[in-house]
Amino acid sequence: YKNNIIRTQSNMMLKEKNKELEIARDKAEKASNARSEFLSTVSHELRTPLNAINGITHLLLEEKPKKSQMHYLSSLKFSGDYLTKFINEILEINKIDSHKFEIEYINFNLKQLLENIQNSLKELALVNNNQFILKIDSEIPDYLIGDPTKLSQIMMNLINNALKFTKNGTVNVVAKLKSIANENATIYFEVTDTGIGIPEDKLKSVFDSFSQGSIEVNRKYGGTGLGLTIVKKIIKTLGGHITLKSVVGKGSTFSFELKFKVGSQLLKVEQKQKS
Ligand code: ADP
């Protein structure tokens, strides 16, 4: 009888605790939704006047300004571009965190995608006199089904960083077939550079929002400190995991694996799914 009373009491306490937990979870979810809505509204509100500022700056730059004006306009353009990038990245992070990020399943050609990226970054590679080498494993099926837009976004971010933090060096981009079975292919991607490298105590924190290298590195290279946060989050929503190895003064290697379905040239697949 005594045991029964104790059991009933502890059951009641457990129920009470669960109720409290549920209320706390509900409150946290409401707060998170409110925060996400606030961020989204502010960002969109900022974007409209910023588009006007950027547009007018662009027009004035096209009108062959005087040297003295050119200096101010270039600075205006730099700030406008930075703010635009920053706002877009905040919106992107917000979208991923509030699960409004859609994953698409599209039949695409991986080689073409990587070569397009290589072409679009050719000029950037020249700026720091870097070599940009693409190595695509010939065993990878020509067509894959996955999200090419998100894969491009990941690659563009990683390669942009690699080219930015490397001078007179090499950036290697590798795509290797890790495994293939029953129309499922796992591809290993790697972006390696011979640049400045990242100190050991910063290897984890570079993926945190607003985290950048040392103050000197930050001052010299600029940036928002959000690129790698987005890369890590996108890879996670696609079911992968990013790894970073780096040695100061030698270079860095970012790598990750993603799963795809094997596609074909004739296939038309377009499907969306919330992350
Ligand atoms: P940012 O826009 O500031 O480059 P990221 O999130 O892309 O922001 O990168 C965060 C920080 O990680 C950078 O400021 C830099 O210090 C470091 N970093 C990223 N990629 C590299 C790289 N390839 N080589 C050296 N440092 C890097």
PDB file of all heavy atoms in Angstrom, residues 32-38 40 91-103 150 237 273-275:
ATOM      1  N   SER A  32      11.702  31.743 -30.505  1.00  0.00           N
ATOM      2  CA  SER A  32      12.554  31.512 -31.670  1.00  0.00           C
ATOM      3  C   SER A  32      11.841  31.964 -32.951  1.00  0.00           C
ATOM      4  O   SER A  32      12.450  32.575 -33.832  1.00  0.00           O
ATOM      5  CB  SER A  32      12.915  30.037 -31.719  1.00  0.00           C
ATOM      6  OG  SER A  32      13.279  29.663 -32.988  1.00  0.00           O
ATOM      7  N   ASN A  33      10.520  31.678 -33.043  1.00  0.00           N
ATOM      8  CA  ASN A  33       9.761  32.123 -34.220  1.00  0.00           C
ATOM      9  C   ASN A  33       9.718  33.638 -34.304  1.00  0.00           C
ATOM     10  O   ASN A  33       9.852  34.217 -35.379  1.00  0.00           O
ATOM     11  CB  ASN A  33       8.325  31.586 -34.162  1.00  0.00           C
ATOM     12  CG  ASN A  33       8.280  30.118 -34.506  1.00  0.00           C
ATOM     13  OD1 ASN A  33       9.242  29.579 -35.056  1.00  0.00           O
ATOM     14  ND2 ASN A  33       7.184  29.457 -34.178  1.00  0.00           N
ATOM     15  N   ALA A  34       9.527  34.283 -33.129  1.00  0.00           N
ATOM     16  CA  ALA A  34       9.450  35.746 -33.111  1.00  0.00           C
ATOM     17  C   ALA A  34      10.784  36.341 -33.544  1.00  0.00           C
ATOM     18  O   ALA A  34      10.838  37.276 -34.333  1.00  0.00           O
ATOM     19  CB  ALA A  34       9.086  36.224 -31.711  1.00  0.00           C
ATOM     20  N   ARG A  35      11.873  35.742 -33.055  1.00  0.00           N
ATOM     21  CA  ARG A  35      13.213  36.227 -33.403  1.00  0.00           C
ATOM     22  C   ARG A  35      13.453  36.089 -34.905  1.00  0.00           C
ATOM     23  O   ARG A  35      13.931  36.986 -35.573  1.00  0.00           O
ATOM     24  CB  ARG A  35      14.258  35.417 -32.638  1.00  0.00           C
ATOM     25  CG  ARG A  35      15.655  35.980 -32.723  1.00  0.00           C
ATOM     26  CD  ARG A  35      16.628  34.991 -32.169  1.00  0.00           C
ATOM     27  NE  ARG A  35      16.683  33.814 -33.045  1.00  0.00           N
ATOM     28  CZ  ARG A  35      17.802  33.247 -33.455  1.00  0.00           C
ATOM     29  NH1 ARG A  35      18.933  33.717 -33.060  1.00  0.00           N
ATOM     30  NH2 ARG A  35      17.787  32.196 -34.248  1.00  0.00           N
ATOM     31  N   SER A  36      13.050  34.920 -35.414  1.00  0.00           N
ATOM     32  CA  SER A  36      13.266  34.650 -36.831  1.00  0.00           C
ATOM     33  C   SER A  36      12.454  35.622 -37.691  1.00  0.00           C
ATOM     34  O   SER A  36      12.947  36.135 -38.700  1.00  0.00           O
ATOM     35  CB  SER A  36      12.889  33.199 -37.106  1.00  0.00           C
ATOM     36  OG  SER A  36      12.425  33.031 -38.391  1.00  0.00           O
ATOM     37  N   GLU A  37      11.209  35.897 -37.270  1.00  0.00           N
ATOM     38  CA  GLU A  37      10.370  36.822 -38.035  1.00  0.00           C
ATOM     39  C   GLU A  37      10.951  38.236 -37.992  1.00  0.00           C
ATOM     40  O   GLU A  37      10.972  38.941 -38.992  1.00  0.00           O
ATOM     41  CB  GLU A  37       8.968  36.827 -37.441  1.00  0.00           C
ATOM     42  CG  GLU A  37       7.910  37.037 -38.510  1.00  0.00           C
ATOM     43  CD  GLU A  37       6.594  36.420 -38.066  1.00  0.00           C
ATOM     44  OE1 GLU A  37       6.487  35.180 -38.076  1.00  0.00           O
ATOM     45  OE2 GLU A  37       5.744  37.198 -37.659  1.00  0.00           O
ATOM     46  N   PHE A  38      11.440  38.604 -36.804  1.00  0.00           N
ATOM     47  CA  PHE A  38      12.021  39.940 -36.627  1.00  0.00           C
ATOM     48  C   PHE A  38      13.242  40.101 -37.550  1.00  0.00           C
ATOM     49  O   PHE A  38      13.356  41.078 -38.289  1.00  0.00           O
ATOM     50  CB  PHE A  38      12.430  40.125 -35.155  1.00  0.00           C
ATOM     51  CG  PHE A  38      13.190  41.377 -34.890  1.00  0.00           C
ATOM     52  CD1 PHE A  38      12.543  42.613 -34.842  1.00  0.00           C
ATOM     53  CD2 PHE A  38      14.563  41.352 -34.695  1.00  0.00           C
ATOM     54  CE1 PHE A  38      13.246  43.784 -34.601  1.00  0.00           C
ATOM     55  CE2 PHE A  38      15.270  42.515 -34.453  1.00  0.00           C
ATOM     56  CZ  PHE A  38      14.620  43.735 -34.409  1.00  0.00           C
ATOM     57  N   SER A  40      13.983  38.473 -40.216  1.00  0.00           N
ATOM     58  CA  SER A  40      13.591  38.453 -41.619  1.00  0.00           C
ATOM     59  C   SER A  40      13.010  39.816 -42.032  1.00  0.00           C
ATOM     60  O   SER A  40      13.367  40.357 -43.077  1.00  0.00           O
ATOM     61  CB  SER A  40      12.587  37.320 -41.813  1.00  0.00           C
ATOM     62  OG  SER A  40      12.003  37.403 -43.053  1.00  0.00           O
ATOM     63  N   LEU A  91      19.873  36.471 -43.822  1.00  0.00           N
ATOM     64  CA  LEU A  91      18.591  35.903 -44.276  1.00  0.00           C
ATOM     65  C   LEU A  91      18.720  34.398 -44.512  1.00  0.00           C
ATOM     66  O   LEU A  91      17.831  33.622 -44.176  1.00  0.00           O
ATOM     67  CB  LEU A  91      18.129  36.591 -45.565  1.00  0.00           C
ATOM     68  CG  LEU A  91      17.386  37.908 -45.387  1.00  0.00           C
ATOM     69  CD1 LEU A  91      17.208  38.613 -46.724  1.00  0.00           C
ATOM     70  CD2 LEU A  91      16.020  37.686 -44.737  1.00  0.00           C
ATOM     71  N   GLU A  92      19.852  34.020 -45.099  1.00  0.00           N
ATOM     72  CA  GLU A  92      20.104  32.609 -45.404  1.00  0.00           C
ATOM     73  C   GLU A  92      20.194  31.780 -44.119  1.00  0.00           C
ATOM     74  O   GLU A  92      19.563  30.724 -44.006  1.00  0.00           O
ATOM     75  CB  GLU A  92      21.433  32.528 -46.184  1.00  0.00           C
ATOM     76  CG  GLU A  92      21.785  31.175 -46.702  1.00  0.00           C
ATOM     77  CD  GLU A  92      21.107  30.842 -48.013  1.00  0.00           C
ATOM     78  OE1 GLU A  92      20.265  31.633 -48.467  1.00  0.00           O
ATOM     79  OE2 GLU A  92      21.420  29.778 -48.564  1.00  0.00           O
ATOM     80  N   ILE A  93      20.955  32.272 -43.147  1.00  0.00           N
ATOM     81  CA  ILE A  93      21.104  31.547 -41.876  1.00  0.00           C
ATOM     82  C   ILE A  93      19.748  31.427 -41.190  1.00  0.00           C
ATOM     83  O   ILE A  93      19.374  30.370 -40.678  1.00  0.00           O
ATOM     84  CB  ILE A  93      22.110  32.270 -40.947  1.00  0.00           C
ATOM     85  CG1 ILE A  93      23.524  32.127 -41.520  1.00  0.00           C
ATOM     86  CG2 ILE A  93      22.057  31.711 -39.523  1.00  0.00           C
ATOM     87  CD1 ILE A  93      24.596  32.801 -40.722  1.00  0.00           C
ATOM     88  N   ASN A  94      19.004  32.523 -41.236  1.00  0.00           N
ATOM     89  CA  ASN A  94      17.678  32.540 -40.612  1.00  0.00           C
ATOM     90  C   ASN A  94      16.753  31.498 -41.251  1.00  0.00           C
ATOM     91  O   ASN A  94      16.014  30.792 -40.574  1.00  0.00           O
ATOM     92  CB  ASN A  94      17.105  33.944 -40.780  1.00  0.00           C
ATOM     93  CG  ASN A  94      15.974  34.195 -39.820  1.00  0.00           C
ATOM     94  OD1 ASN A  94      15.943  33.630 -38.736  1.00  0.00           O
ATOM     95  ND2 ASN A  94      15.027  35.011 -40.218  1.00  0.00           N
ATOM     96  N   LYS A  95      16.859  31.406 -42.570  1.00  0.00           N
ATOM     97  CA  LYS A  95      16.022  30.451 -43.301  1.00  0.00           C
ATOM     98  C   LYS A  95      16.373  29.003 -42.897  1.00  0.00           C
ATOM     99  O   LYS A  95      15.493  28.185 -42.678  1.00  0.00           O
ATOM    100  CB  LYS A  95      16.278  30.636 -44.809  1.00  0.00           C
ATOM    101  CG  LYS A  95      15.010  30.477 -45.598  1.00  0.00           C
ATOM    102  CD  LYS A  95      15.062  30.970 -46.936  1.00  0.00           C
ATOM    103  CE  LYS A  95      15.496  30.712 -48.154  1.00  0.00           C
ATOM    104  NZ  LYS A  95      15.729  31.111 -49.337  1.00  0.00           N
ATOM    105  N   ILE A  96      17.668  28.741 -42.795  1.00  0.00           N
ATOM    106  CA  ILE A  96      18.086  27.377 -42.425  1.00  0.00           C
ATOM    107  C   ILE A  96      17.653  27.074 -40.998  1.00  0.00           C
ATOM    108  O   ILE A  96      17.065  26.031 -40.718  1.00  0.00           O
ATOM    109  CB  ILE A  96      19.621  27.192 -42.551  1.00  0.00           C
ATOM    110  CG1 ILE A  96      20.092  27.514 -43.964  1.00  0.00           C
ATOM    111  CG2 ILE A  96      20.025  25.773 -42.167  1.00  0.00           C
ATOM    112  CD1 ILE A  96      21.592  27.507 -44.157  1.00  0.00           C
ATOM    113  N   ASP A  97      17.916  28.030 -40.072  1.00  0.00           N
ATOM    114  CA  ASP A  97      17.609  27.786 -38.655  1.00  0.00           C
ATOM    115  C   ASP A  97      16.113  27.631 -38.399  1.00  0.00           C
ATOM    116  O   ASP A  97      15.707  26.952 -37.469  1.00  0.00           O
ATOM    117  CB  ASP A  97      18.154  28.933 -37.790  1.00  0.00           C
ATOM    118  CG  ASP A  97      19.667  28.842 -37.661  1.00  0.00           C
ATOM    119  OD1 ASP A  97      20.220  27.791 -38.039  1.00  0.00           O
ATOM    120  OD2 ASP A  97      20.288  29.812 -37.197  1.00  0.00           O
ATOM    121  N   SER A  98      15.294  28.296 -39.222  1.00  0.00           N
ATOM    122  CA  SER A  98      13.848  28.194 -38.964  1.00  0.00           C
ATOM    123  C   SER A  98      13.204  27.128 -39.865  1.00  0.00           C
ATOM    124  O   SER A  98      11.990  27.117 -40.056  1.00  0.00           O
ATOM    125  CB  SER A  98      13.180  29.554 -39.138  1.00  0.00           C
ATOM    126  OG  SER A  98      13.471  30.070 -40.413  1.00  0.00           O
ATOM    127  N   HIS A  99      14.037  26.268 -40.411  1.00  0.00           N
ATOM    128  CA  HIS A  99      13.595  25.128 -41.238  1.00  0.00           C
ATOM    129  C   HIS A  99      12.750  25.547 -42.427  1.00  0.00           C
ATOM    130  O   HIS A  99      11.819  24.845 -42.815  1.00  0.00           O
ATOM    131  CB  HIS A  99      12.840  24.099 -40.386  1.00  0.00           C
ATOM    132  CG  HIS A  99      13.652  23.606 -39.242  1.00  0.00           C
ATOM    133  ND1 HIS A  99      14.631  22.666 -39.391  1.00  0.00           N
ATOM    134  CD2 HIS A  99      13.660  23.971 -37.943  1.00  0.00           C
ATOM    135  CE1 HIS A  99      15.210  22.469 -38.223  1.00  0.00           C
ATOM    136  NE2 HIS A  99      14.646  23.245 -37.335  1.00  0.00           N
ATOM    137  N   LYS A 100      13.072  26.736 -42.990  1.00  0.00           N
ATOM    138  CA  LYS A 100      12.340  27.163 -44.191  1.00  0.00           C
ATOM    139  C   LYS A 100      13.206  26.968 -45.431  1.00  0.00           C
ATOM    140  O   LYS A 100      12.953  27.516 -46.486  1.00  0.00           O
ATOM    141  CB  LYS A 100      11.946  28.645 -44.061  1.00  0.00           C
ATOM    142  CG  LYS A 100      10.839  28.853 -43.055  1.00  0.00           C
ATOM    143  CD  LYS A 100      10.381  30.292 -43.040  1.00  0.00           C
ATOM    144  CE  LYS A 100       9.397  30.505 -41.927  1.00  0.00           C
ATOM    145  NZ  LYS A 100       9.828  31.553 -40.994  1.00  0.00           N
ATOM    146  N   PHE A 101      14.228  26.189 -45.245  1.00  0.00           N
ATOM    147  CA  PHE A 101      15.216  25.960 -46.298  1.00  0.00           C
ATOM    148  C   PHE A 101      14.758  24.750 -47.109  1.00  0.00           C
ATOM    149  O   PHE A 101      14.583  23.671 -46.542  1.00  0.00           O
ATOM    150  CB  PHE A 101      16.522  25.642 -45.576  1.00  0.00           C
ATOM    151  CG  PHE A 101      17.751  25.815 -46.376  1.00  0.00           C
ATOM    152  CD1 PHE A 101      18.082  27.033 -46.913  1.00  0.00           C
ATOM    153  CD2 PHE A 101      18.622  24.748 -46.559  1.00  0.00           C
ATOM    154  CE1 PHE A 101      19.250  27.205 -47.614  1.00  0.00           C
ATOM    155  CE2 PHE A 101      19.794  24.908 -47.260  1.00  0.00           C
ATOM    156  CZ  PHE A 101      20.100  26.144 -47.785  1.00  0.00           C
ATOM    157  N   GLU A 102      14.566  24.939 -48.413  1.00  0.00           N
ATOM    158  CA  GLU A 102      14.065  23.819 -49.214  1.00  0.00           C
ATOM    159  C   GLU A 102      15.198  23.088 -49.917  1.00  0.00           C
ATOM    160  O   GLU A 102      16.063  23.709 -50.523  1.00  0.00           O
ATOM    161  CB  GLU A 102      13.071  24.333 -50.259  1.00  0.00           C
ATOM    162  CG  GLU A 102      11.681  24.395 -49.703  1.00  0.00           C
ATOM    163  CD  GLU A 102      10.661  24.807 -50.743  1.00  0.00           C
ATOM    164  OE1 GLU A 102      11.049  25.395 -51.769  1.00  0.00           O
ATOM    165  OE2 GLU A 102       9.484  24.541 -50.516  1.00  0.00           O
ATOM    166  N   ILE A 103      15.193  21.768 -49.809  1.00  0.00           N
ATOM    167  CA  ILE A 103      16.182  20.982 -50.545  1.00  0.00           C
ATOM    168  C   ILE A 103      15.531  20.538 -51.842  1.00  0.00           C
ATOM    169  O   ILE A 103      14.401  20.033 -51.838  1.00  0.00           O
ATOM    170  CB  ILE A 103      16.636  19.750 -49.736  1.00  0.00           C
ATOM    171  CG1 ILE A 103      17.240  20.201 -48.402  1.00  0.00           C
ATOM    172  CG2 ILE A 103      17.630  18.919 -50.522  1.00  0.00           C
ATOM    173  CD1 ILE A 103      17.483  19.068 -47.439  1.00  0.00           C
ATOM    174  N   LYS A 150      22.662  24.133 -53.969  1.00  0.00           N
ATOM    175  CA  LYS A 150      23.305  24.157 -52.650  1.00  0.00           C
ATOM    176  C   LYS A 150      24.754  23.675 -52.749  1.00  0.00           C
ATOM    177  O   LYS A 150      25.625  24.216 -52.082  1.00  0.00           O
ATOM    178  CB  LYS A 150      22.522  23.298 -51.664  1.00  0.00           C
ATOM    179  CG  LYS A 150      21.153  23.859 -51.506  1.00  0.00           C
ATOM    180  CD  LYS A 150      20.510  23.605 -50.215  1.00  0.00           C
ATOM    181  CE  LYS A 150      19.206  24.366 -50.121  1.00  0.00           C
ATOM    182  NZ  LYS A 150      18.367  24.304 -51.320  1.00  0.00           N
ATOM    183  N   THR A 237      22.271  20.077 -43.415  1.00  0.00           N
ATOM    184  CA  THR A 237      20.894  19.829 -43.877  1.00  0.00           C
ATOM    185  C   THR A 237      20.885  18.794 -45.013  1.00  0.00           C
ATOM    186  O   THR A 237      19.893  18.121 -45.226  1.00  0.00           O
ATOM    187  CB  THR A 237      20.167  21.102 -44.374  1.00  0.00           C
ATOM    188  OG1 THR A 237      20.890  21.628 -45.465  1.00  0.00           O
ATOM    189  CG2 THR A 237      20.011  22.147 -43.313  1.00  0.00           C
ATOM    190  N   GLN A 273      11.837  19.518 -50.947  1.00  0.00           N
ATOM    191  CA  GLN A 273      11.552  18.984 -49.628  1.00  0.00           C
ATOM    192  C   GLN A 273      12.068  19.964 -48.582  1.00  0.00           C
ATOM    193  O   GLN A 273      13.161  20.499 -48.710  1.00  0.00           O
ATOM    194  CB  GLN A 273      12.276  17.646 -49.483  1.00  0.00           C
ATOM    195  CG  GLN A 273      12.011  16.936 -48.176  1.00  0.00           C
ATOM    196  CD  GLN A 273      13.021  15.820 -48.007  1.00  0.00           C
ATOM    197  OE1 GLN A 273      13.217  14.985 -48.880  1.00  0.00           O
ATOM    198  NE2 GLN A 273      13.716  15.821 -46.886  1.00  0.00           N
ATOM    199  N   LYS A 274      11.248  20.241 -47.561  1.00  0.00           N
ATOM    200  CA  LYS A 274      11.691  21.159 -46.500  1.00  0.00           C
ATOM    201  C   LYS A 274      12.794  20.500 -45.682  1.00  0.00           C
ATOM    202  O   LYS A 274      12.723  19.315 -45.397  1.00  0.00           O
ATOM    203  CB  LYS A 274      10.511  21.500 -45.583  1.00  0.00           C
ATOM    204  CG  LYS A 274       9.581  22.546 -46.166  1.00  0.00           C
ATOM    205  CD  LYS A 274       9.795  23.904 -45.508  1.00  0.00           C
ATOM    206  CE  LYS A 274       9.370  25.059 -46.382  1.00  0.00           C
ATOM    207  NZ  LYS A 274       7.948  25.159 -46.596  1.00  0.00           N
ATOM    208  N   SER A 275      13.818  21.309 -45.317  1.00  0.00           N
ATOM    209  CA  SER A 275      14.926  20.718 -44.563  1.00  0.00           C
ATOM    210  C   SER A 275      14.517  20.448 -43.128  1.00  0.00           C
ATOM    211  O   SER A 275      13.591  21.005 -42.631  1.00  0.00           O
ATOM    212  CB  SER A 275      16.115  21.674 -44.558  1.00  0.00           C
ATOM    213  OG  SER A 275      15.795  22.834 -43.863  1.00  0.00           O
TER     214      SER A 275
END
